[in-house]
Amino acid sequence: QKEVEQDPGPLSVPEGAIVSLNCTYSNSAFQYFMWYRQYSRKGPELLMYTYSSGNKEDGRFTAQVDKSSKYISLFIRDSQPSDSATYLCATRLTGGGNKLTFGTGTQLKVEL
Amino acid sequence: GAVVSQHPSWVICKSGTSVKIECRSLDFQATTMFWYRQFPKQSLMLMATSNEGSKATYEQGVEKDKFLINHASLTLSTLTVTSAHPEDSSFYICSARISSYNEQFFGPGTRLTVL
């Protein structure tokens, strides 16, 4: 079993839709949770960084963490074609030397 | 701020040759840099963690004699793929961490193709 599971997609939505991206993880010791956006042939870009269970909002993006069910989500409101990218979830242990464990990434396409 | 660059952005080489990839933190000092490998449609896999002035720590299954990492300064780390083979073809991405923060900043990646 992978430590972080993520549906690879592809996920195709119309412009303006609400997008829901999800990951599950197996290690309850993971304490930090991140979402990265990666455009084709580019490095990942940090979108959201959360520590505790609950919601964190930044513009059109909302990250949600449920530690009890080991489930993390990223919601994108009013999706735009420029949001088309691969979205990677990542987790980290407390004091784990900053080693990140990534999901496989979900490929998102927002169509006009 | 917090920009990380990589050079080259892509490289094609013949089997058996060595390739060096540079990772630079442009506007901050990075005490720790990380090297990842990403195969098509797969996630980033950590290869090694590099601390300035000390030997790199390699992940299980990564050959340290094949993937040489040098972190000679607070702004530069290099990854050398020695005696490259076609199976080493991949997207190599570095990241850098500012010592006082937890966040990693990623470079744009280097696409290596070994013929």
Side-chain angles (χ1 to χ4, degrees):
Chain A
Q1 181 189 11
K2 292 180 181 178
E3 287 191 287
V4 181
E5 297 274 3
Q6 185 175 7
D7 186 337
L11 176 64
S12 184
V13 301
E15 183 179 8
I18 297 175
V19 177
S20 173
L21 304 167
N22 309 293
C23 287
T24 59
Y25 62 95
S26 57
N27 189 346
S28 58
F30 286 134
Q31 295 294 320
Y32 297 90
F33 307 93
M34 289 133 282
W35 284 96
Y36 288 86
R37 177 175 62 195
Q38 185 178 24
Y39 292 111
S40 181
R41 300 174 185 268
K42 299 292 184 183
E45 170 194 9
L46 181 66
L47 284 177
M48 301 289 284
Y49 183 102
T50 57
Y51 172 71
S52 57
S53 283
N55 294 349
K56 182 178 181 180
E57 189 174 318
D58 184 1
R60 295 185 296 112
F61 298 92
T62 299
Q64 190 175 77
V65 176
D66 183 348
K67 289 187 177 181
S68 63
S69 58
K70 302 189 186 68
Y71 195 85
I72 56 177
S73 301
L74 178 70
F75 299 97
I76 306 174
R77 291 183 298 280
D78 187 25
S79 56
Q80 304 294 311
S82 58
D83 295 328
S84 298
T86 296
Y87 290 80
L88 298 142
C89 62
T91 64
R92 184 173 75 80
L93 301 169
T94 298
N98 216 47
K99 176 182 175 179
L100 298 178
T101 301
F102 284 88
T104 54
T106 299
Q107 186 180 354
L108 171 67
K109 184 175 182 180
V110 181
E111 298 178 335
L112 291 169
Chain B
V3 178
V4 177
S5 71
Q6 278 184 245
H7 178 79
S9 56
W10 60 269
V11 57
I12 301 173
C13 69
K14 292 182 178 180
S15 185
T17 61
S18 294
V19 175
K20 180 184 284 189
I21 302 170
E22 291 185 350
C23 177
R24 292 183 185 274
S25 56
L26 297 185
D27 51 2
F28 66 97
Q29 293 185 328
T31 55
T32 306
M33 289 185 169
F34 304 83
W35 287 96
Y36 295 84
R37 181 167 50 184
Q38 186 178 34
F39 291 106
K41 299 189 183 298
Q42 294 188 26
S43 187
L44 281 77
M45 297 300 296
L46 180 65
M47 299 175 66
T49 301
S50 164
N51 290 295
E52 186 263 340
S54 62
K55 290 183 178 180
T57 302
Y58 291 81
E59 294 299 301
Q60 190 173 9
V62 178
E63 300 174 59
K64 62 181 181 181
D65 293 331
K66 180 171 183 61
F67 299 99
L68 301 179
I69 292 173
N70 184 278
H71 192 163
S73 76
L74 288 172
T75 59
L76 173 64
S77 177
T78 60
L79 168 68
T80 302
V81 183
T82 62
S83 187
H85 288 94
E87 57 266 30
D88 297 324
S89 299
S90 187
F91 194 49
Y92 292 86
I93 306 174
C94 73
S95 70
R97 181 172 72 98
I98 300 173
S99 60
S100 56
Y101 296 92
N102 293 322
E103 184 177 345
Q104 289 184 34
F105 300 95
F106 285 83
T110 297
R111 184 161 300 280
L112 170 64
T113 302
V114 184
L115 302 176

